[in-house]
Amino acid sequence: RRVHGGASSYRPVLLFEMESLSMECIETEIKDLYHFKDIYFVVNDLSKADEKWKEIDSKVDDIVRGIDKKLTDCSASNHGEKPRLLCYKGWVLNALEESRSCAVESLSKAVKLDPDYVRAWNELGEALAKKGDIASAKESFARSLSLSKSAEALRSMSMLLRQTATSTEDRLDGIKESLEMAREAVTLDPGDGKSWYILGNSYLMMFFHGGQSPNMLKQAMTSYTRAANDERVKMDPDLHYNQSLAYKYKEDYQSSLGGFQLSSKLDPHWNAPNLQSNNLIQYLND
């Protein structure tokens, strides 16, 4: 992934430029888009929170238009590019905050044309999970892992395993399996803060559902600290929200309140951080 001086330096290629780009260059454009998204608040002030998704939406639309043009022009001589272009379209659309049905449609076509396309299976799982089809999402990530072990697929499966249990016993088993997958993801790429974040969530869930062991809480806090060393994760509102939950149970209320407040600023339309903050203030004042 290329290193940028700042999010404001990102400029998607224009439509006529996209038509002449190689597949590798289009892939780089998509990775740059995700980098822009991940480090938005590393290089932008929190006052721009309301602008973040507008900017991302605009950039996604620009790239998708270019990919659609290349798909239309896909001739018999370069028909082998079609599954990659379909995957790239779904991959770009997955950068959006909310799911679009055309993401699942494009990715489903990609894996039908190339059943061994690992990236397409990963992105299809992501798109299905956003739509709430957890069972199908798990199948997609399982297929990806059967083809190649990746930290991305392991942490995605880790998240889904925590969501599908129907009983207390099944839930604990799912959390244990989730924890093992998160650990494996970290082992594959110890420098990936996203995997450390997922591992922290798994430890926190084990704390809540496995007897509130102080060691699980300590492991969660250590994982969140490692996650925050990654610039792509350090300003993630979910990281600060979950870390603040851990601080609350450590009875470090000042850090907990500060984290909830930061999480709210990073995502002003998310009500949960403010609700947690207000409940904690009320508890402290009683």
Side-chain angles (χ1 to χ4, degrees):
R1 179 166 296 181
R2 295 190 300 187
V3 177
H4 296 274
S8 59
S9 66
Y10 174 87
R11 181 191 69 84
V13 291
L14 300 174
L15 182 58
F16 72 87
E17 295 174 323
M18 181 73 79
E19 292 177 52
S20 62
L21 283 182
S22 68
M23 301 299 284
E24 289 71 23
C25 288
I26 296 173
E27 183 169 333
T28 298
E29 283 294 316
I30 299 170
K31 290 179 178 178
D32 287 350
L33 168 69
Y34 274 86
H35 192 64
F36 170 86
K37 172 187 171 184
D38 289 338
I39 69 163
Y40 189 86
F41 290 114
V42 176
V43 296
N44 284 295
D45 190 83
L46 289 174
S47 62
K48 291 195 68 177
D50 285 331
E51 301 300 315
K52 177 182 177 180
W53 288 107
K54 294 177 185 177
E55 292 185 42
I56 292 170
D57 287 357
S58 175
K59 297 176 191 305
V60 166
D61 288 341
D62 286 342
I63 298 176
V64 167
R65 278 195 294 271
I67 293 173
D68 281 343
K69 183 65 167 60
K70 286 187 77 73
L71 277 167
T72 301
D73 295 343
C74 213
S75 62
S77 62
N78 62 2
H79 186 71
E81 292 185 347
K82 190 169 184 180
R84 288 182 72 182
L85 287 168
L86 287 165
C87 174
Y88 289 167
K89 180 176 179 178
W91 187 6
V92 172
L93 290 168
N94 277 344
L96 296 169
E97 191 171 23
E98 296 181 359
S99 172
R100 289 188 190 173
S101 58
C102 52
V104 172
E105 180 182 345
S106 294
L107 292 161
S108 296
K109 289 179 181 177
V111 296
K112 285 179 181 177
L113 290 170
D114 185 354
D116 295 331
Y117 195 174
V118 174
R119 164 61 68 184
W121 283 112
N122 280 340
E123 295 303 327
L124 179 58
E126 175 71 17
L128 289 164
K130 280 190 173 186
K131 286 186 65 179
D133 189 350
I134 304 302
S136 296
K138 285 175 66 177
E139 290 177 4
S140 294
F141 288 121
R143 180 60 184 272
S144 170
L145 289 168
S146 73
L147 295 166
S148 176
K149 283 285 181 74
S150 70
E152 181 179 0
L154 284 165
R155 62 178 178 249
S156 294
M157 279 292 280
S158 175
M159 286 189 289
L160 296 177
L161 284 167
R162 299 196 302 268
Q163 300 176 26
T164 54
T166 56
S167 68
T168 302
E169 184 177 351
D170 287 344
R171 186 170 183 79
L172 186 56
D173 288 341
I175 293 170
K176 289 178 180 178
E177 189 177 357
S178 165
L179 180 57
E180 289 307 309
M181 286 202 162
R183 283 172 173 160
E184 190 174 356
V186 166
T187 300
L188 283 178
D189 188 355
D192 191 329
K194 294 184 178 183
S195 295
W196 281 106
Y197 167 64
I198 297 303
L199 181 59
N201 288 349
S202 296
Y203 278 125
L204 191 61
M205 290 295 285
M206 277 296 294
F207 171 76
F208 287 137
H209 297 279
Q212 298 203 354
S213 163
N215 183 55
M216 290 294 105
L217 192 59
K218 180 181 178 181
Q219 295 278 19
M221 292 301 300
T222 299
S223 299
Y224 289 142
T225 300
R226 292 291 297 269
N229 290 333
D230 187 334
E231 70 170 1
R232 301 170 305 154
V233 185
K234 66 186 293 183
M235 298 302 279
D236 187 325
D238 295 304
L239 168 65
H240 292 284
Y241 178 84
N242 288 317
Q243 189 176 41
S244 295
L245 289 175
Y247 275 129
K248 184 172 76 170
Y249 281 88
K250 282 188 66 179
E251 299 184 358
D252 184 348
Y253 300 126
Q254 183 175 357
S255 296
S256 181
L257 286 171
F260 286 136
Q261 289 164 6
L262 177 56
S263 180
S264 180
K265 290 177 181 178
L266 290 166
D267 189 349
H269 303 291
W270 188 23
N271 294 325
N274 277 332
L275 182 61
Q276 286 285 349
S277 180
N278 292 336
N279 288 341
L280 182 53
I281 290 171
Q282 184 176 347
Y283 168 78
L284 295 173
N285 288 335
D286 285 346

